[in-house]
Amino acid sequence: MLPATLQTRVVIVGGGPSGLLLGQLLHLAGIDAIVLEKKSREYVLGRIRAGVLERGMVQLLEQAGVDKRLQREGFTHDGTIIAFNNEYFRVPFSKYIDKPVTVYGQTEVTRDLYEARESVGAPTYSNAEEVSINNADTDTPSVTFVQGDTRYTINCDFVAGCDGFHGVSRKTIPDDQRKEFEKVYPFGWLGVLSDTPPVHEELIYANSPRGFALCSMRNASLSRYYIQCESNDDANRWSDEDFWRELKNRLPQEFAEQLVTGPSIEKSIAPLRSFVCEPMRWGRLFLCGDAAHIVPPTGAKGLNTAASDVQYLYQAFKSYYHNNDSAGIDNYSATALARVWKVTRFSWWMTTLLHRFPGQSDFDLRVQQAELDFLKQSDEAQAAMAINYVGLPY
Ligand code: APR
Ligand code: PHB
């Protein structure tokens, strides 16, 4: 194994949306960073993920100069449909807050970020293996990794752990220095991507006696649908016909009749959990995005909460390097966690409101139906949902 030593200011572990967005913002601020990604570019871009962007995320992408395609191809939504008991109502976000959301595939966000990083020639190592973060609790941290037949050592000032839930960063914080909070939901989401026109111009979140369903989209001819399924279900057990039939059974008849079905081009099951790690900093290591927290996809908050972490961390590094001010760095964990917990609560609330839970008692069902009725009838309840769904301020 050949040795090689590199030097940079910030090592970003993880080349997903968090890592690439932070890298692009730091590059534009003249702060050197190296991105280490475990997988290949093709693998990263092959992931199908959610597609609702808060205004804050869109503004960050504008700031990063990565919003051209998004502005061209993204759909602006200022409301969503909530369906239950074969009826439905619309929550008009713009009636309560002038902050529409943008529907644009997360895979496309990652693609745009990869292309931006490649265009500026910023150092990115894909297929980076055996990444190890060393001496993060000292003033001289370093990161080692293997690529091909070379073992690299990067001497740096800071490490941004943007390597997702299964990454190495969170586990670098000693067990006795971190506290993890977790809630595992007793169901998963079976998702299908299809070359079919969306069933409706806005998203439909449905609570039906057979379970939750969601109708979303990527563009005018590419739709994304989900149905609640058993946690241990197998996507291969579901034929397309079975999926479409079950989805129709969970939608109000008006939408079920309009649904255009077709062959699935992707079919997969995702588990649902809420997870938060405290703190989001240890010495010169900072956790960002899924490395620090996971939300159930019901509120479409995964990428958007990664974005708020990135914004806080980017501003902290910029203040440190440009103004010799470490306040942002010192306050990062508390500032990020304050918003993370509000988003965690909202994602839990939407998940609890819209799913059928195993063993739900008749009392539980009446309470759930009453909450849906209250949301349907109350401007204040809808305002609270709208303010959270479109994105809390950073
Ligand atoms: N070394 C280097 N890279 C790693 C390592 C490691 N040890 N472990 C994981 N990675 C990479 C993964 O391959 C992935 O590309 O880190 C990246 C983490 O990306 P995400 O899991 O997407 O997390 P994040 O960038 O925080 O994005 C958060 O986007 O992907 C969605 O569900 C996610 O909505 C959430 C949002
Ligand atoms: C999606 O389009 O994949 C999507 C949209 C909204 C959600 C979750 C997923 O809440």
Side-chain angles (χ1 to χ4, degrees):
M1 193 70 76
L2 300 170
T5 301
L6 305 170
Q7 177 77 36
T8 192
R9 291 198 181 285
V10 181
V11 174
I12 299 173
V13 182
S18 299
L20 292 171
L21 180 54
L22 178 62
Q24 188 62 13
L25 291 166
L26 291 177
H27 170 79
L28 295 176
I31 300 169
D32 291 340
I34 292 176
V35 171
L36 303 180
E37 166 52 48
K38 182 180 185 178
K39 301 290 187 182
S40 68
R41 184 183 191 282
E42 293 67 33
Y43 184 95
V44 173
L45 294 178
R47 294 182 184 125
I48 303 292
R49 292 279 171 71
V52 174
L53 308 184
E54 297 174 354
R55 168 76 69 80
M57 173 73 181
V58 173
Q59 289 172 335
L60 260 185
L61 290 169
E62 288 168 2
Q63 197 178 333
V66 187
D67 65 311
K68 299 292 175 296
R69 198 156 65 101
L70 162 64
Q71 301 294 0
R72 230 179 22 249
E73 300 175 13
F75 288 62
T76 298
H77 284 199
D78 64 3
T80 192
I81 301 292
I82 304 287
F84 72 113
N85 292 347
N86 203 33
E87 61 174 298
Y88 65 91
F89 61 96
R90 181 172 185 265
V91 177
F93 304 144
S94 53
K95 178 178 177 183
Y96 308 107
I97 184 167
D98 179 21
K99 271 174 82 175
V101 293
T102 301
V103 173
Y104 182 72
Q106 180 177 304
T107 306
E108 304 319 309
V109 170
T110 309
R111 187 189 315 283
D112 296 342
L113 286 165
Y114 252 113
E115 287 173 3
R117 189 158 182 84
E118 285 167 354
S119 71
V120 299
T124 308
Y125 291 79
S126 294
N127 302 307
E129 298 175 331
E130 300 176 37
V131 171
S132 173
I133 300 165
N134 313 300
N135 307 316
D137 57 339
T138 72
D139 287 342
T140 53
S142 66
V143 178
T144 56
F145 71 100
V146 171
Q147 188 192 57
D149 60 1
T150 306
R151 179 177 296 278
Y152 293 86
T153 298
I154 312 177
N155 295 315
C156 57
D157 297 337
F158 301 105
V159 181
C162 301
D163 48 352
F165 184 69
H166 302 288
V168 67
S169 299
R170 185 177 68 254
K171 297 158 191 164
T172 299
I173 302 177
D175 290 350
D176 63 356
Q177 296 295 309
R178 70 178 198 266
K179 181 171 177 57
E180 296 183 349
F181 304 79
E182 185 169 45
K183 181 180 186 61
V184 177
Y185 298 90
F187 38 71
W189 279 15
L190 169 61
V192 158
L193 192 65
S194 59
D195 272 325
T196 55
V199 68
H200 188 60
E201 62 190 8
E202 293 180 327
L203 273 61
I204 301 172
Y205 289 88
N207 174 325
S208 87
R210 299 177 67 88
F212 170 82
L214 170 60
C215 303
S216 184
M217 76 272 304
R218 292 292 175 269
N219 58 50
S221 59
L222 191 60
S223 297
R224 181 70 168 162
Y225 295 104
Y226 300 92
I227 58 173
Q228 172 185 345
C229 64
E230 299 292 326
S231 302
N232 59 356
D233 205 340
D234 176 357
N236 297 317
R237 191 180 69 78
W238 286 81
S239 68
D240 289 355
E241 291 67 30
D242 289 343
F243 177 85
W244 294 123
R245 181 183 314 110
E246 188 59 37
L247 176 63
K248 288 181 179 179
N249 285 338
R250 300 189 186 191
L251 296 177
Q253 189 172 349
E254 175 184 339
F255 294 122
E257 288 169 354
Q258 291 169 6
L259 182 70
V260 175
T261 65
S264 60
I265 49 181
E266 194 272 349
K267 191 185 295 172
S268 56
I269 289 180
L272 270 66
R273 73 159 57 87
S274 298
F275 175 90
V276 180
C277 172
E278 292 185 1
M280 289 175 56
R281 173 198 183 182
W282 185 60
R284 289 179 171 251
L285 168 62
F286 299 82
L287 304 183
C288 192
D290 275 18
H293 42 75
I294 296 287
V295 286
T298 327
K301 292 299 172 198
L303 177 60
N304 291 301
T305 312
S308 49
D309 292 348
V310 166
Q311 165 67 354
Y312 297 139
L313 196 52
Y314 160 62
Q315 292 296 343
F317 285 148
K318 204 166 72 160
S319 296
Y320 178 83
Y321 284 110
H322 291 186
N323 310 321
N324 197 26
D325 175 357
S326 61
I329 281 176
D330 295 337
N331 299 328
Y332 168 74
S333 182
T335 305
L337 282 167
R339 191 176 188 277
V340 163
W341 276 111
K342 294 185 181 76
V343 169
T344 297
R345 180 212 65 84
F346 175 69
S347 302
W348 162 84
W349 174 77
M350 276 198 73
T351 302
T352 304
L353 178 69
L354 295 167
H355 290 75
R356 292 299 170 99
F357 285 68
Q360 218 167 1
S361 68
D362 291 345
F363 173 85
D364 297 334
L365 279 171
R366 286 288 190 275
V367 166
Q368 190 181 60
Q369 296 298 303
E371 175 127 29
L372 284 159
D373 261 335
F374 179 61
L375 182 62
K376 178 181 176 184
Q377 296 161 1
S378 163
D379 279 355
E380 292 76 9
Q382 290 190 12
M385 176 184 163
I387 291 165
N388 281 279
Y389 191 91
V390 301
L392 295 173
Y394 286 179

